Amino acid sequence: MQDYRLLKRELEKRYSHLAWMASPDSGVNLPDLDRQAQAALARARSDAEARQAILDFQNGFRDGHFSPLNAAVESSASSSEPPKRDLSHDNSLDGCASLGYVNGNGGAFSLPFETLPGVRLTADGLVLPMRSGIADLGAAGKLALLRIPSFTPRNYPQLCQQAWQAMLERGGRFDPDKLFTDIMRAWYRETAQRLRELRAAGARALIVDIGDNPGGNDSGDAMSRLLGSGPVRSAPLWLARSPQGEAYLREWIENLSAGLPPEATAEDKAALQPFLDAFRAQASQWRQTPPVDMSWVWREQRAFDPGAARSRLVQVGYASGAVDHLEPGRYSKIVSEALFWPAQSFGSQGAWQGPVYLLTNGQTYSAAEMFAAVSRDNRLAKTVGQRTGGDGCGFMSKIQPLVLPHSGLSFRIPDCVRLRADGSDEVAGIAPDLPVSAAPGESRRAMAQKTLRAIAADLAPRP
């Protein structure tokens, strides 16, 4: 019971989605969930039953980012720990493997489109990253297929090996952070090239398969800018008023001051100064604002209002960085990438012109939801399939797990919120524009065919 009270206090202090979960729109009734947890704890006759009561409470939030962790962490100071590998002497194959770049999610589509008549592959997702192909929709024309299995470059070892080899050829000191950035840029270029090739092959429309996609990093926002030609606005980013949120502000201040690359010019620093001043002012105000009592969430439900003091949320820029949109060429490369993370995709933007559909399901999470939400809210794409899993925004600063001392349970607690265009929290999941669900006993091949037919019907001219 002490652990349960501690968990609730910590949620009040730092769980970013708490105000949303306390609203009727979330579908979660926190007062009922609290009563059920307390009753289960009162009935518990063993530690195992008590731990399960706390886990059932956590599961009731239906937020995959608010989840248990394995509290047992091996000490890196153990005498049996091998020395670190010297990556500077590795070739691309060994080096990328040792850094954990692996095709962990496989290459197949989330629905077996490749087994259907009239579908031919243009890339298998193994030799080249990301499976792609063309489907013949009959009178509706050709549909391009592109599979994005995750939004982390670590699932694309092919791109790592290419970037590694290029780094070796340039010479100089090995830099894993620079390698990661090079892989990100290469991924956008590769995706843009694939989209152009599919369009040149006669595809009229595109389906991007992000079913069973667990997420990754902020590339979910940048990737949406490869679709269409109009300006894309990123979601407002809100943080819980907590030590973790303050750490995110401090990171911005550090990056815009001492964290710039050596080649940054005086003009670069002058361009960044207004943003640096704004973050410093916000950090100062953050420290001076008294804490907010969030205990009301266990007693009643209230409408979600992120700007209200009772929500304990503060907007800190956008999901794309300090600005929600930036035109290429406005600033230098250093300034652009410091302020606007999708600037790494400059040169690849607008690669696809035409109708777009995003295939989603209940295993579409996190950064994949970010991609779906930004694309949908900017009218770049329609979604088809099932509602996404509902993880939304997870962590913008280093995870500080909460360890409950008596039960030994450990939890990670999200610190950020991305808001949809309608004002809702992305953690609610993204509902499909074209719902496609399996009938009892229906095979996955039948689901794949049904999905293509739904798109073909949507592409048909209206009477």
Side-chain angles (χ1 to χ4, degrees):
M1 287 185 170
Q2 290 177 13
D3 277 3
Y4 179 63
R5 288 193 289 269
L6 173 60
L7 175 58
K8 289 202 301 179
R9 287 198 301 270
E10 287 301 308
L11 291 174
E12 292 168 20
K13 291 177 183 176
R14 53 177 165 137
Y15 180 42
S16 54
H17 301 294
L18 190 59
W20 169 259
M21 295 297 178
S23 72
D25 291 336
S26 72
V28 178
N29 189 315
L30 290 186
D32 280 355
L33 194 62
D34 179 39
R35 284 190 289 270
Q36 292 165 11
Q38 293 196 56
L41 283 167
R43 291 192 306 268
R45 292 297 176 265
S46 68
D47 288 343
E49 289 182 5
R51 278 193 292 269
Q52 190 58 51
I54 294 177
L55 289 171
D56 289 343
F57 169 78
Q58 168 261 319
N59 283 325
F61 284 78
R62 302 196 295 272
D63 176 359
H65 282 132
F66 171 34
S67 59
L69 295 169
N70 182 1
V73 180
E74 295 182 5
S75 172
S76 60
S78 169
S79 59
S80 63
E81 184 71 17
K84 290 185 177 181
R85 185 179 180 116
D86 183 2
L87 299 174
S88 62
H89 300 297
D90 276 338
N91 59 37
S92 61
L93 184 63
D94 292 333
C96 289
S98 66
L99 285 176
Y101 286 84
V102 59
N103 192 1
N105 285 14
F109 293 111
S110 66
L111 289 175
F113 297 115
E114 51 271 87
T115 69
L116 299 179
V119 175
R120 63 177 180 85
L121 294 183
T122 57
D124 63 2
L126 298 173
V127 176
L128 291 175
M130 300 176 296
R131 181 162 291 195
S132 59
I134 298 284
D136 186 353
L137 300 184
K142 294 180 179 179
L143 175 71
L145 306 167
L146 179 68
R147 168 67 173 156
I148 299 183
S150 79
F151 281 93
T152 171
R154 294 195 181 278
N155 280 141
Y156 305 105
Q158 311 93 325
L159 297 177
C160 176
Q161 291 165 23
Q162 294 170 14
W164 191 292
Q165 187 60 37
M167 182 175 286
L168 288 178
E169 292 172 358
R170 288 196 303 268
R173 183 177 64 86
F174 175 78
D175 185 343
D177 293 332
K178 176 66 165 57
L179 176 72
F180 185 86
T181 301
D182 289 348
I183 295 167
M184 288 290 295
R185 294 194 183 103
W187 185 33
Y188 297 132
R189 291 194 301 270
E190 172 70 21
T191 306
Q193 178 63 24
R194 196 76 60 82
L195 292 174
R196 295 186 186 105
E197 290 172 354
L198 291 166
R199 185 66 173 167
R204 167 191 176 191
L206 166 71
I207 180 169
V208 182
D209 180 2
I210 54 172
D212 300 336
N213 184 314
N217 61 14
D218 294 320
S219 58
D221 182 89
M223 194 63 78
S224 66
R225 289 167 164 79
L226 273 62
L227 311 175
S229 56
V232 178
R233 302 287 176 181
S234 296
L237 180 71
W238 295 72
L239 299 182
R241 192 184 293 278
S242 65
Q244 289 73 29
E246 188 176 359
Y248 178 74
L249 274 174
R250 289 198 303 269
E251 184 179 358
W252 264 110
I253 294 168
E254 172 67 20
N255 289 342
L256 295 182
S257 53
L260 295 176
E263 59 269 26
T265 66
E267 289 78 9
D268 291 334
K269 295 174 183 177
L272 292 171
Q273 191 62 47
F275 298 95
L276 178 57
D277 292 341
F279 280 119
R280 282 174 170 161
Q282 192 167 24
S284 176
Q285 182 182 15
W286 192 295
R287 289 189 293 270
Q288 296 171 15
T289 303
V292 176
D293 180 8
M294 293 288 291
S295 62
W296 60 268
V297 303
W298 316 117
R299 300 187 299 270
E300 60 182 306
Q301 291 185 306
R302 297 180 182 178
F304 180 60
D305 181 0
R310 68 171 185 268
S311 296
R312 201 214 46 226
L313 293 171
V314 180
Q315 185 180 350
V316 183
Y318 300 88
S320 51
V323 294
D324 66 344
H325 172 70
L326 190 63
E327 290 292 336
R330 179 175 179 182
Y331 295 116
S332 71
K333 179 180 176 182
I334 287 175
V335 172
S336 296
E337 294 191 358
L339 294 177
F340 186 64
W341 303 318
Q344 293 181 348
S345 68
F346 283 173
S348 300
Q349 296 184 340
W352 177 267
Q353 302 293 320
V356 180
Y357 299 86
L358 308 182
L359 176 60
T360 63
N361 62 20
Q363 303 302 310
T364 301
Y365 291 118
S366 196
E369 293 179 292
M370 183 188 205
F371 173 64
V374 173
S375 300
R376 182 66 188 84
D377 288 349
N378 282 274
R379 299 183 178 180
L380 301 171
K382 294 180 180 180
T383 51
V384 57
Q386 295 100 44
R387 179 183 286 273
T388 64
D391 275 10
C393 195
F395 310 94
M396 297 305 294
S397 56
K398 186 177 180 180
I399 299 175
Q400 299 292 336
L402 169 65
V403 179
L404 303 181
H406 301 289
S407 63
L409 293 172
S410 177
F411 296 97
R412 58 178 192 166
I413 299 177
D415 60 18
C416 60
V417 168
R418 288 189 297 262
L419 289 186
R420 300 289 308 282
D422 63 4
S424 64
D425 187 336
E426 193 182 293
V427 78
I430 293 91
D433 297 296
L434 306 177
V436 179
S437 300
E442 192 169 37
S443 71
R444 295 179 67 250
R445 291 188 72 245
M447 277 286 290
Q449 186 67 65
K450 185 187 290 187
T451 300
L452 295 185
R453 286 174 177 164
I455 292 173
D458 192 67
L459 288 169
R462 299 292 184 265

